[in-house]
Amino acid sequence: MFVLLLVLIAVLFGFGFLNPIWWVAVAALVYAVTRHGRDRGGGRSRSGSSDLGDYRDYRERRDRRERWDRRYSRQNRARWRREDRRDHEHRR
């Protein structure tokens, strides 16, 4: 998609030598693309990462932690109940 956009900008810039109104079209297109990219968060920031990538990392960590919690709480639930029962019986 990005390559097609660059080709479109180059073609419109080339048409600008025939009629300067095409240069206005290129300027408007470049402005719209850069504005749209910033608003959506899909564009790259200067540091090379995006907010979308940060959210994906957060979501993956959260999902991994939830799977870990579910797995081990389910596996150990019966053992914990047995130990609680034993402790309760030893107190009597």
Side-chain angles (χ1 to χ4, degrees):
M1 165 97 179
F2 185 70
V3 174
L4 291 174
L5 190 61
L6 287 177
V7 169
L8 178 63
I9 289 171
V11 168
L12 289 176
F13 183 79
F15 281 143
F17 290 108
L18 299 175
N19 190 354
I21 195 76
W22 290 108
W23 282 336
V24 174
V26 170
L29 182 63
V30 168
Y31 176 77
V33 167
T34 57
R35 207 63 174 145
H36 180 68
R38 271 190 234 133
D39 290 344
R40 296 277 314 255
R44 293 184 183 191
S45 66
R46 292 182 187 205
S47 65
S49 65
S50 68
D51 293 338
L52 188 60
D54 293 340
Y55 178 72
R56 281 190 195 129
D57 293 341
Y58 159 73
R59 191 175 58 199
E60 287 174 8
R61 282 194 311 270
R62 183 194 63 197
D63 292 345
R64 207 175 314 123
R65 186 177 58 237
E66 286 176 358
R67 281 194 307 270
W68 177 273
D69 290 344
R70 280 195 310 267
R71 179 183 305 142
Y72 287 103
S73 67
R74 199 170 42 232
Q75 266 184 354
N76 296 321
R77 191 175 300 141
R79 182 173 54 88
W80 291 334
R81 286 182 184 157
R82 273 195 313 271
E83 290 173 358
D84 288 345
R85 225 178 295 128
R86 284 184 202 146
D87 289 342
H88 185 63
E89 289 172 358
H90 287 288
R91 287 183 199 157
R92 286 185 183 187

